[in-house]
Amino acid sequence: SKFSPALAIRLYSQIKPQTFFLTKNFRNANIPPSSQGGIQLWRLFSCKDLLKSEQEHWNAFQSNYAEKTERLKQRLETHYAKYSSNLDSLMIRFGEYVYFEEDGHICRSRLEEAGEVITEVLLSMEDLPFHGFFIHRLRISPDHRYIAVGLKSANSEESASVIVKLNTSPVMELIIPNVFSFEWATHDILFYTIQKNLQCHEVYLYDFSKKQSELVYTEQDARYFVDLYCTKDKRFLTINSNSKTTSEVWLVDCHHPFKPPALVQQRTKGIIYHAEHRNNDLYILTTYG
């Protein structure tokens, strides 16, 4: 029988897989027949022949994928831009503005219809009573009325949050010392954690309409560290209480921020989980199982 050379390397006996001993040069290689009645093949392509054939085949078709590749790239960039406000980045695209840090200044830019980029300085480190600190986090309120700026000391564990009210002329509204993490629940309610002795056990909210704060949650177990996260759809804040091996999550409804946090799942030793929300569904990512 005659067989295609391209199939030669995949042939085997119906009784038992054959072992072929190939010479260094694949051209005109003779294969000894098996004692079980194997098939003798008279010629194989070399590796270079096969690679050259595949390369020619790919070159003939790759142009068909160029347009699809470009469309996919644009979709990925759009998806990234949509959710970039949730990243711990010092450049955040939020609504029609881009907020960013540059040389110790917090700035905001907007592209006007005429194509002109308008940039304004919202906060300068030179105007703050902090020396040796750097900016590590930005969070913008949903209506762009406030921006919360996280500061950390380069030489110690000191930290703080500075909140600027974005009027016609930006005004520093509040400084909260020892803040580790923070997230906006509504236009004028900011949740934040306080760090003491390298530990975070307390969560507070600050109501800018009433100019007052209140305690929301306290972690009683010293082995756990508390931080905050805002779901990508901005529907919930999560209070995450974590140790190295175990976690527990509480939900704060951003539509009703004064209601007590709701427990997702009581902590179970050795299980870590994270909660995300989308389209009225709660998604749980866990190490269980």
Side-chain angles (χ1 to χ4, degrees):
S1 300
K2 294 182 180 180
F3 294 88
S4 167
L7 298 175
I9 59 174
R10 296 194 294 271
L11 293 173
Y12 61 93
S13 166
Q14 292 181 355
I15 302 174
K16 180 181 179 182
Q18 304 300 299
T19 302
F20 298 109
F21 301 90
L22 304 182
T23 60
K24 247 185 177 181
N25 185 356
F26 280 75
R27 290 186 180 276
N28 301 321
N30 290 326
I31 311 254
S34 165
S35 60
Q36 298 294 334
I39 300 169
Q40 187 167 4
L41 304 172
W42 298 103
R43 192 173 185 274
L44 293 173
F45 277 139
S46 70
C47 290
K48 290 183 179 179
D49 287 335
L50 291 172
L51 289 174
K52 183 179 179 181
S53 176
E54 288 299 320
Q55 185 64 49
E56 291 174 350
H57 180 76
W58 169 245
N59 289 338
F61 286 94
Q62 67 173 338
S63 59
N64 298 333
Y65 297 101
E67 186 178 347
K68 293 181 180 179
T69 301
E70 184 60 29
R71 288 203 301 267
L72 177 61
K73 180 182 177 183
Q74 292 176 359
R75 288 179 62 188
L76 289 173
E77 290 175 346
T78 301
H79 183 78
Y80 173 80
K82 181 178 179 180
Y83 294 110
S84 61
S85 62
N86 288 304
L87 304 177
D88 284 327
S89 170
L90 295 184
M91 177 176 286
I92 298 176
R93 184 178 301 171
F94 191 66
E96 61 183 347
Y97 293 98
V98 175
Y99 297 82
F100 58 96
E101 185 271 341
E102 186 174 284
D103 298 328
H105 299 82
I106 300 298
C107 305
R108 178 173 70 176
S109 64
R110 180 175 61 182
L111 183 64
E112 299 293 341
E113 291 184 1
E116 181 183 2
V117 177
I118 307 297
T119 301
E120 58 180 320
V121 176
L122 306 177
L123 180 69
S124 175
M125 289 293 293
E126 298 174 353
D127 300 329
L128 300 176
F130 299 100
H131 302 286
F133 280 67
F134 63 93
I135 299 168
H136 78 97
R137 194 174 198 177
L138 302 177
R139 291 294 185 269
I140 299 94
S141 65
D143 62 353
H144 296 264
R145 274 198 300 159
Y146 296 96
I147 180 171
V149 181
L151 305 176
K152 279 187 176 181
S153 171
N155 305 311
S156 68
E157 295 301 322
E158 291 183 83
S159 61
S161 181
V162 178
I163 294 85
V164 176
K165 190 172 185 179
L166 305 178
N167 294 324
T168 306
S169 178
V171 177
M172 186 162 34
E173 180 85 0
L174 181 69
I175 295 177
I176 309 175
N178 303 317
V179 170
F180 179 78
S181 62
F182 50 89
E183 296 287 351
W184 291 98
T186 68
H187 303 310
D188 50 13
I189 295 179
L190 180 73
F191 280 69
Y192 60 93
T193 62
I194 294 294
Q195 179 174 266
K196 297 178 182 179
N197 300 322
L198 303 180
Q199 295 180 320
C200 282
H201 291 153
E202 296 176 338
V203 178
Y204 292 83
L205 70 78
Y206 189 89
D207 186 348
F208 284 85
S209 64
K210 299 179 180 179
K211 308 296 183 184
Q212 65 183 29
S213 63
E214 64 179 72
L215 181 65
V216 175
Y217 173 85
T218 302
E219 173 56 60
Q220 303 295 338
D221 193 328
R223 297 173 299 174
Y224 288 78
F225 190 95
V226 176
D227 65 9
L228 298 173
Y229 170 77
C230 183
T231 59
K232 288 183 172 62
D233 61 0
K234 309 295 185 182
R235 183 66 174 81
F236 292 97
L237 297 185
T238 63
I239 299 174
N240 308 296
S241 187
N242 306 300
S243 70
K244 291 182 178 180
T245 61
T246 307
S247 67
E248 184 175 82
V249 178
W250 296 75
L251 291 181
V252 175
D253 187 344
C254 292
H255 292 176
H256 306 282
F258 292 102
K259 286 187 175 181
L263 178 62
V264 175
Q265 172 63 48
Q266 187 174 4
R267 65 189 63 167
T268 302
K269 186 177 180 181
I271 295 178
I272 295 175
Y273 71 94
H274 172 78
E276 184 57 79
H277 183 267
R278 184 174 183 267
N279 294 335
N280 292 323
D281 291 322
L282 192 65
Y283 295 85
I284 307 296
L285 179 65
T286 177
T287 58
Y288 178 76

